[in-house]
Amino acid sequence: AYTEKDASHLMEQVFQAVGYLHEKGIAHRDLKPENLMSIGSGADEVVKLADFVRRISYVLRIYSLFPLR
């Protein structure tokens, strides 16, 4: 069974990943359950963000026009 503790662990990883992207000046812009990839289970579960390759190329194009400060 998927517990509240499991969900908390998952969300902590999502927030860390989003924080990392924001530190690099990248916005995912399409966060939804379909864009989360889960590997493993329980305490060994690792969550990865997906579907932002197009976003990164878009952000890089915008960045070249308007550098982030």
Side-chain angles (χ1 to χ4, degrees):
Y2 202 73
T3 66
E4 185 175 337
K5 185 174 182 175
D6 294 333
S8 173
H9 179 67
L10 178 143
M11 291 308 300
E12 180 180 6
Q13 291 184 61
V14 170
F15 294 143
Q16 287 174 349
V18 170
Y20 176 81
L21 290 174
H22 287 183
E23 287 174 6
K24 302 297 180 188
I26 299 170
H28 189 288
R29 296 178 45 170
D30 195 22
L31 284 175
K32 57 187 174 186
E34 293 85 1
N35 289 339
L36 299 178
M37 296 178 5
S38 175
I39 301 167
S41 62
D44 296 328
E45 183 177 29
V46 176
V47 177
K48 298 178 183 258
L49 298 180
D51 192 40
F52 62 94
V53 174
R54 291 177 291 152
R55 307 293 184 216
I56 289 175
S57 64
Y58 173 78
V59 168
L60 292 177
R61 282 197 306 266
I62 296 299
Y63 182 80
S64 66
L65 298 173
F66 306 102
L68 301 174
R69 290 181 171 67

